[in-house]
Amino acid sequence: MTATAGTGTRTTGARVAGVRVAGAAAGALLTLTAVAAAPAQAAGYRYWSFWESSGGKPWAYATQGPATARPADGDAIGFRFALSQGTSDTSQPSAAADFAGICGGVEKKDGSKRIAVVVDFGGPLDAPPGETPPAKPIKVGCAEVRDDATGAEALATVAKPLRYDSAAMLCGIAGYPARGCGEQVDERAPASAAPTGPAPAAVPGHGGGGPSFGVLAGGAAVLALGGAAIWKARRRG
């Protein structure tokens, strides 16, 4: 009876431990999910975001930079300068991806393609300190480029001059802004406040919205550890 009672006690203890670990793991996952879903509160970034549209579809955040993207004939590419609080808050061009309206009167020639280009310079609140957006906030044009041309080459035919930094990040279109490149800006500071420093390379890139890989990986690790602890507890029982 004593041995049986002892065994029962150990089993119960293992189950309780397993429940506690499972609860802790679930709580950790909920916490990580909340952190991943919460918008960034500390800072935002000023930069040119890059958008794509194919077949008349709405703008989609590009998965690569304009220097490597190769849009097809009939596609549209868009660029928007804005102060964004993270990738999930990135503003898209305010003008539609209207290839027919922009390139409708341009005939396709052999060995070339037509790309509708939309450039949105943003508003005064997006402007860096000491700078003002162009009087005409939207610039559009139909780029006629060779078949293998990149998005950057199409943009250059419509909105020169372009300005890049040493890492080949697009910093200025049609001379705007004249200075800076992807600055980090304290969210609590007024719009005219000076930037606090350069942005990490990953922020101006095109990763889409949602939680970062590091947060999700951390959540997976927590769940894996929790599962291992439950398995060990059951083995001890």
Side-chain angles (χ1 to χ4, degrees), residues 19-226:
V19 171
R20 287 176 178 172
V21 172
L29 178 60
L30 289 174
T31 300
L32 286 167
T33 302
V35 170
Q41 296 297 323
Y45 294 88
R46 284 192 184 95
Y47 65 97
W48 281 103
S49 58
F50 177 39
W51 302 78
E52 300 173 316
S53 170
S54 178
K57 295 179 181 178
W59 291 119
Y61 201 50
T63 57
Q64 56 184 315
T68 55
R70 297 183 187 278
D73 179 72
D75 287 351
I77 57 176
F79 299 84
R80 170 66 188 265
F81 188 78
L83 172 59
S84 303
Q85 305 297 333
T87 54
S88 61
D89 183 48
T90 303
S91 300
Q92 66 180 20
S94 55
D98 184 10
F99 175 82
I102 298 173
C103 292
V106 180
E107 295 184 5
K108 187 182 183 311
K109 300 175 182 178
D110 292 340
S112 67
K113 59 185 177 182
R114 302 157 300 165
I115 310 297
V117 179
V118 175
V119 179
D120 187 335
F121 296 97
L125 294 180
D126 299 309
E131 297 206 42
T132 303
K136 189 175 181 180
I138 305 292
K139 184 178 181 64
V140 301
C142 185
E144 294 182 85
V145 291
R146 65 183 189 281
D147 281 335
D148 62 346
T150 65
E153 290 173 301
L155 173 63
T157 68
V158 173
K160 287 183 178 179
L162 305 182
R163 180 170 60 86
Y164 294 88
D165 69 1
S166 58
M169 177 176 171
L170 181 61
C171 304
I173 298 177
Y176 181 79
R179 298 171 299 279
C181 196
E183 291 89 356
Q184 182 179 1
V185 181
D186 189 340
E187 183 187 25
R188 294 163 296 183
S192 60
T196 60
V203 174
H206 298 284
S212 68
F213 174 79
V215 171
L216 294 179
V222 169
L223 291 180
L225 290 173

Side-chain angles (χ1 to χ4, degrees), residues 10-11 13-19 21-22 223-237:
R10 288 196 299 273
T11 302
R15 288 176 180 172
V16 170
V19 171
V21 172
L223 291 180
L225 290 173
I230 294 171
W231 180 78
K232 290 181 179 179
R234 289 176 176 173
R235 285 293 301 273
R236 284 198 298 270

